[in-house]
């Protein structure tokens, strides 16, 4: 365990950041899953709505540096491709 006052504070902060980051990553997984399910069901309107939510969530996570910006861009690109393939 940390002994210095600053190290103890840093540890507290890291725990808060970890919880926040885990929540954001879980949210990302859920919104991506929603888009995938809509694509599998071939529901274009629902897929587009879910894609808009997913894009916003991924962009925000990239801005906060929870995920790398290129990872977010890649996921958005692949989801958009999948939605656009629906006839």
């Amino acid at each position: 365990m940390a002994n210095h006052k600053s190290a103890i504070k840093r540890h507290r902060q890291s725990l808060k950041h970890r919880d926040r980051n885990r929540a954001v990553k879980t949210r990302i997984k859920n919104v991506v899953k929603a888009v995938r399910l809509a694509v599998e069901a071939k529901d274009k309107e629902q897929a587009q709505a879910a894609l808009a939510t997913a894009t916003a969530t991924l962009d925000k996570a990239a801005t906060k540096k929870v995920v790398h910006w290129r990872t977010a861009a890649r996921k958005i690109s692949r989801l958009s491709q999948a939605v656009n393939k629906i006839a």
Side-chain angles (χ1 to χ4, degrees):
M1 183 62 194
N3 294 321
H4 297 286
K5 208 172 182 183
S6 60
I8 292 169
K9 179 179 178 180
R10 213 61 184 108
H11 181 64
R12 272 198 323 266
Q13 288 177 330
S14 74
L15 294 177
K16 285 182 188 175
H17 288 299
R18 189 187 78 188
D19 289 342
R20 203 171 295 136
N21 290 343
R22 285 177 70 187
V24 172
K25 285 182 178 183
T26 302
R27 196 172 300 125
I28 288 171
K29 286 179 191 173
N30 288 337
V31 294
V32 168
K33 189 177 177 182
V35 176
R36 292 272 178 222
L37 288 173
V39 167
E40 282 179 25
K42 298 199 187 311
D43 188 351
K44 185 117 176 154
E45 292 80 30
Q46 189 179 355
Q48 286 175 333
L51 178 64
T53 307
T55 302
T57 305
L58 282 160
D59 281 338
K60 189 169 185 181
T63 304
K64 303 282 183 186
K65 303 235 177 4
V66 177
V67 293
H68 195 273
W69 66 270
R70 285 196 174 142
T71 304
R74 184 177 64 245
K75 286 182 183 289
I76 291 168
S77 175
R78 289 179 182 172
L79 290 172
S80 299
Q81 238 180 347
V83 170
N84 290 336
K85 280 185 181 176
I86 300 173

